[in-house]
Amino acid sequence: MRIAISTGGGDAPGLNAVIRAAVLAAIHRGWECVGIRRGFGGLLGDGEVVPLGPSEVRGITHLGGTILGTTNRGDPFRWRAQRPDGTWSERDRSDELVAAFRSHGLDALIAIGGEGTLGIALRLMGKGIPVVGVPKTIDNDVGGTVATFGFDTAVATATDAIDKVHSTAESHERVMVVEVMGRHAGFIALNAGLAASADVILIPEIPFDIAKVCDKIRQREAAGRHFSIVVVAEGAVPKGGTVSLIDPEHERLGGIGDKVAHSIQEMTGKETRSLVLGHLQRGGSPTTFDRLLGLRFGAAAVRLVGEHKFGYMVALQPPQIAAVPLEQALATPRRVPLDSDTIATARDLGTSLGD
Ligand code: F6P
């Protein structure tokens, strides 16, 4: 067996743990591994398929990022190239990719990625590439698995940052708005917001009413609490509104924290500041939980290759690592369940969810 490993989409702490476990598990079976650099793109470039052996994966479990590099602009079915005049062209290079996969003598592909990358992997499966998926994203929004690696680390980073914002908010008697990642799912905002005692948490799953947010701040003011912390997911939307985009062409989210801060200052008269945690949440050393999940996912992916269970994705279904059909996982993306005990806990603590 000659297995290719690729990491695609936004990076997440724990990717290197997956790579290490997959490589060592493959070698343990007497198989060979190669890494595709920069998502799937490495199969379409020169010298970008690299051998992966014990020395390449030594001492990487605790490292953030991915030793293979990644991109979220590398869809072979819609390959984008910039023309000399700065405009972009798009073409389907998937057949070329399949041909390159064959010419490298590869037998299976372990694709580590989020919704986008796993969707591409499924389409490549349709073109004859035997694929096993590994779900990754700090947003925790992939279906079929209780958790993706990277999420726990991102929540720890966001919690730490919100903790730090507390003291300056209190000293200056200000409202501080912290924008965290979470495109479609508010898991980071909800978990970090709760753990760091935010007063208001706004998530994509619950469209917010800015008047309710301001009510909460005024109530605190009346109770002698002259500062407030608002945590907002980048994908949060006002009731009847749309998501805030900083780059509509590439659908890059951003700006909702600023907008919320501006409205709060205008409507309550309280001095308000906002900050965006952004890619900080994607970096750093993975937590113990994410390292272990990454290692378990990587080894389990190789076991699926051994069983010829292609078209499946490894998934955490405690206490087991299960195999879930990619199609099924992609059809049911994960969102914060509104009837979850975490939401009930937030409400019981008096945290405003903006509704
Ligand atoms: O999906 C993970 C994520 O971090 C999202 O929360 C965010 O919208 C996106 O990636 C940002 O990606 P980038 O800035 O790398 O294009």
Side-chain angles (χ1 to χ4, degrees), residues 182-202:
R183 260 189 113 68
H184 306 292
F187 290 105
I188 297 177
L190 183 61
N191 288 27
L194 261 180
S197 307
D199 306 295
V200 180
I201 301 172
L202 306 177

Side-chain angles (χ1 to χ4, degrees), residues 9-12 70-73 114-115 136-141 180-185 188 234-235 246 250-254 278-279 281-282:
D11 63 349
T70 187
T71 173
N72 44 17
R73 311 254 179 274
E115 257 185 296
K136 163 248 60 166
T137 158
I138 65 162
D139 290 6
N140 202 26
D141 60 358
V180 298
M181 281 188 168
R183 260 189 113 68
H184 306 292
I188 297 177
E234 61 182 350
I246 40 174
H250 295 104
E251 287 183 39
R252 272 189 68 203
L253 298 183
H279 295 79
Q281 298 157 95
R282 294 231 300 252

Side-chain angles (χ1 to χ4, degrees), residues 191-215:
N191 288 27
L194 261 180
S197 307
D199 306 295
V200 180
I201 301 172
L202 306 177
I203 59 174
E205 294 85 346
I206 305 179
F208 67 87
D209 179 349
I210 193 70
K212 297 272 171 64
V213 174
C214 293
D215 284 348

Side-chain angles (χ1 to χ4, degrees), residues 35-83:
I36 302 171
R37 304 260 312 132
R38 297 186 196 87
F40 298 112
L43 274 176
L44 300 170
D46 285 334
E48 300 204 301
V49 174
V50 294
L52 286 178
S55 53
E56 281 77 23
V57 299
R58 189 163 295 139
I60 63 168
T61 305
H62 66 292
L63 300 180
T66 159
I67 59 165
L68 293 175
T70 187
T71 173
N72 44 17
R73 311 254 179 274
D75 183 349
F77 293 91
R78 296 178 55 189
W79 191 264
R80 282 163 65 89
Q82 198 159 22
R83 298 191 189 95

Side-chain angles (χ1 to χ4, degrees), residues 1-4 25-27 29-34 101 104-109 130 132 302-310:
M1 272 279 185
R2 199 166 135 82
I3 302 179
I27 288 167
R29 287 163 173 74
W31 301 344
E32 237 182 279
C33 270
V34 298
F101 184 86
H104 279 93
L106 299 169
D107 300 301
L109 169 68
V132 166
V302 170
R303 291 197 294 273
L304 290 192
V305 171
E307 293 161 19
H308 286 82
K309 242 175 151 177
F310 298 117

Side-chain angles (χ1 to χ4, degrees), residues 6 40 74-77 97-98 109-134 310-313 326-327 330:
S6 83
F40 298 112
D75 183 349
F77 293 91
L97 189 142
V98 174
L109 169 68
I110 295 180
I112 314 169
E115 257 185 296
T117 303
L118 295 176
I120 295 167
L122 186 61
R123 291 183 73 185
L124 291 175
M125 174 91 189
K127 287 193 159 252
I129 294 189
V131 167
V132 166
V134 177
F310 298 117
Y312 281 76
M313 171 191 99
L326 273 170
E327 214 156 45
L330 292 169

